[in-house]
Amino acid sequence: MLLNAARNGNIDAGVGNTAQSEEKRYPKYDFYSPKKFTRDRLKMVSSVFESYVRVLSSRLNAMLHLACDLEVESVEEQRYYEFSNALSERDVLVLVQDTLEDTGEKEPILLHITTGIMVSMIDRLLGGSGDVEGEIGSDYEYTDIELRLYTDLMRSMVDCLDSAWKNYIDIGFRFNRVEVNPTLVQLIGLDEAVVIIGITVKTAVSSGRFSICLPGTMLSDVFSQMNRETSSMRQPNKHDSDEIMDYLRASELPIIAELQHTTLRLSDIYHLHVGDVIDLGQPKDSKVFLNIGDKRWFDGTMGVFQKNKAVRIDKTYVLSEMGRLEDEGERQ
């Protein structure tokens, strides 16, 4: 019946296709190349470079005397070959080194900016309008003067990286060199995990893309150091604790032995003389309260030690009261 209805045109054959096209598509997960960094880590990297583009935007505005709009478009973990395959022989890469502790031969951070927007910025530095879109082709090659200006401009862009990371970790970055033909140099292992930050750069006369390739080893070192610093902040410093206790041991606290309380009239106190006896209403061997800092800490018994009046501690009042309160809490 369904086939007959379809032949007769009573069923809209496009309904199923529309439902399929409207079905939400999910990216496939590559189990052969599992992700190295969690979503929270990538979110932290994204926030770092959002701070970076704010600082860099102000720097470029001042240098070019032109409004530059920068925005973090994407932060993705990839394999290095996906980044390198998108480069051509005419592209230029900037190599940057971080100042973390040197644990061996380091893989550099790579910076790449599309030719059109870079030539536009160089034209602005030379006093031009920056409108060079029609003059830039896929085979454009930088001149020596342009490479020099390219280097100076990228140095300024690298200098802004330090301030972007300062809220998370104490790390610095230094300009290393410019690589004119990146296809001939293998800077990072092809299957090495990297994080690519894509930044869109827009001006009134041009637009382009600024890409930053962070090696996975560098990010792993950064996250490890952040974890160590966080754990050290949580753990108390033993040296500081000992120093504090040394100060506390030298502190003085008054200790008052209290036998009992009584109340007298002012006239009785006025007529007191040496040798008078005040009745406290307690036997002579009653317990004595030891107060430290106006708080009852111990119970003791009055006595004599080496011909001096003394109090022998019989009970720790504070600890016993704490235990009693804990027992009452458990029963409740």
Side-chain angles (χ1 to χ4, degrees):
M1 292 178 66
L2 289 174
L3 291 175
N4 291 332
R7 292 192 189 99
N8 297 331
N10 295 330
I11 293 180
D12 187 2
V15 172
N17 295 334
T18 304
Q20 264 188 337
S21 63
E22 292 178 354
E23 184 180 354
K24 188 174 181 180
R25 297 182 179 274
Y26 294 92
K28 293 182 180 180
Y29 185 82
D30 187 1
F31 288 93
Y32 292 99
S33 301
K35 298 298 182 182
K36 189 173 183 179
F37 304 108
T38 62
R39 185 176 299 177
D40 291 337
R41 294 298 192 188
L42 295 181
K43 187 180 294 185
M44 191 215 77
V45 174
S46 178
S47 64
V48 168
F49 283 92
E50 284 174 359
S51 301
Y52 172 65
V53 297
R54 287 194 293 270
V55 177
L56 182 58
S57 178
S58 300
R59 177 72 65 90
L60 292 178
N61 290 344
M63 293 177 63
L64 305 177
H65 301 284
L66 184 68
C68 296
D69 183 18
L70 282 76
E71 182 180 358
V72 178
E73 183 182 17
S74 61
V75 177
E76 297 179 355
E77 179 182 344
Q78 299 178 359
R79 299 295 164 177
Y80 176 68
Y81 66 82
E82 299 180 52
F83 176 77
S84 62
N85 288 345
L87 301 175
S88 66
E89 295 180 358
R90 304 291 184 182
D91 283 324
V92 176
L93 282 183
V94 173
L95 278 61
V96 178
Q97 293 291 346
D98 62 82
T99 59
L100 286 175
E101 295 181 1
D102 194 356
T103 56
E105 188 175 353
K106 286 187 174 183
E107 296 173 335
I109 300 168
L110 306 179
L111 277 60
H112 172 259
I113 189 165
T114 53
T115 306
I117 188 65
M118 176 53 73
V119 175
S120 175
M121 290 191 288
I122 291 174
D123 187 64
R124 287 291 300 178
L125 290 175
L126 295 175
S129 64
D131 187 7
V132 294
E133 288 291 343
E135 305 173 14
I136 305 302
S138 58
D139 58 345
Y140 185 88
E141 187 172 357
Y142 292 98
T143 64
D144 292 340
I145 295 177
E146 287 175 338
L147 281 176
R148 177 67 187 206
L149 293 172
Y150 185 108
T151 301
D152 294 340
L153 188 58
M154 294 305 293
R155 284 182 187 274
S156 298
M157 298 173 78
V158 171
D159 292 340
C160 298
L161 280 171
D162 296 357
S163 59
W165 287 86
K166 66 180 180 181
N167 292 331
Y168 297 91
I169 188 174
D170 185 14
I171 183 175
F173 300 90
R174 68 175 186 273
F175 182 92
N176 189 352
R177 71 177 191 272
V178 171
E179 194 65 46
V180 177
N181 191 352
T183 59
L184 299 180
V185 182
Q186 185 174 338
L187 302 169
I188 302 176
L190 292 178
D191 289 327
E192 186 70 28
V194 296
V195 173
I196 309 297
I197 296 92
I199 301 172
T200 56
V201 183
K202 295 180 181 179
T203 66
V205 293
S206 183
S207 63
R209 182 179 174 87
F210 177 32
S211 300
I212 301 174
C213 177
L214 301 178
T217 53
M218 173 261 184
L219 283 179
S220 297
D221 293 340
V222 167
F223 294 142
S224 298
Q225 183 167 334
M226 290 174 62
N227 290 335
R228 287 195 299 269
E229 291 179 357
T230 303
S231 60
S232 64
M233 290 173 62
R234 291 176 181 173
Q235 295 176 357
N237 192 323
K238 186 177 183 301
H239 177 72
D240 293 343
S241 300
D242 294 341
E243 185 176 355
I244 292 172
M245 286 304 300
D246 290 339
Y247 282 112
L248 291 177
R249 290 189 187 98
S251 303
E252 295 183 357
L253 281 176
I255 300 178
I256 299 175
E258 180 184 311
L259 182 61
Q260 192 52 258
H261 284 277
T262 189
T263 303
L264 294 176
R265 291 178 298 181
L266 183 59
S267 59
D268 295 335
I269 297 175
Y270 180 77
H271 293 95
L272 283 176
H273 298 285
V274 177
D276 290 346
V277 177
I278 300 175
D279 185 9
L280 298 178
Q282 294 288 338
K284 64 178 181 178
D285 55 352
S286 298
K287 61 183 178 181
V288 178
F289 306 138
L290 285 178
N291 299 328
I292 300 178
D294 297 329
K295 186 174 181 64
R296 182 177 173 185
W297 279 66
F298 305 107
D299 291 348
T301 305
M302 185 69 73
V304 177
F305 177 74
Q306 294 181 355
K307 299 182 179 180
N308 295 317
K309 292 181 180 179
V311 176
R312 183 183 64 193
I313 296 174
D314 297 330
K315 178 182 177 183
T316 303
Y317 180 78
V318 172
L319 295 179
S320 62
E321 282 295 304
M322 290 176 62
R324 180 181 63 80
L325 292 175
E326 290 177 357
D327 293 339
E328 289 180 356
E330 291 178 357
R331 286 196 297 270
Q332 291 177 358

